[in-house]
Amino acid sequence: MSRSLALTTVLYACGLAGWIVIQTLRETARPRTTGAALGVLEVALVVLVALDMAALALGHRPRELAVHLAYAGAAVLVVPLAALIGGAGRKSVGMTGAVGCAAAAVVVLRMRMTGTA
């Protein structure tokens, strides 16, 4: 997994979580760009997992393979699940999107920790 892409994804997820919190706490209507921003985060997560699976296919073995694969699966699923749960309420994504972004940042960091040889 590319270290720079992982760091960029973590920083983007944290910044997006803060932005969503600010937009949620404001009394005015939230911009429609929240969904697009979450989509960009999801694409970055899919690219990270694809690069990680390619490294596994080429022979790289993490210390704990099962835990690493669980983090890879969680990285792909956390943002869509947060958006799905947030969209089920009366408001759009809101705070669940921010929690999903924070969870994505933590999952990428943990995936990076378990994936190093």
Side-chain angles (χ1 to χ4, degrees):
M1 178 169 39
S2 172
R3 272 191 258 179
S4 60
L5 183 58
L7 177 64
T8 303
T9 303
V10 168
L11 291 176
Y12 179 76
C14 291
L16 182 58
W19 182 74
I20 291 174
V21 167
I22 290 171
Q23 293 301 316
T24 303
L25 295 177
R26 291 176 60 194
E27 294 298 322
T28 60
R30 287 182 296 280
R32 294 180 182 224
T33 57
T34 303
L38 287 173
V40 169
L41 177 61
E42 182 63 22
V43 167
L45 291 171
V46 168
V47 168
L48 276 173
V49 170
L51 289 174
D52 190 55
M53 293 302 124
L56 286 175
L58 291 175
H60 172 72
R61 291 291 174 240
R63 284 180 266 165
E64 301 171 10
L65 181 63
V67 174
H68 184 73
L69 292 175
Y71 280 128
V76 175
L77 293 176
V78 70
V79 174
L81 286 176
L84 181 69
I85 292 169
R90 286 183 289 171
K91 295 184 177 182
S92 65
V93 178
M95 287 297 197
T96 57
V99 171
C101 290
V106 170
V107 167
V108 169
L109 288 174
R110 291 296 302 157
M111 191 169 68
R112 183 79 184 133
M113 286 180 190
T114 60
T116 55

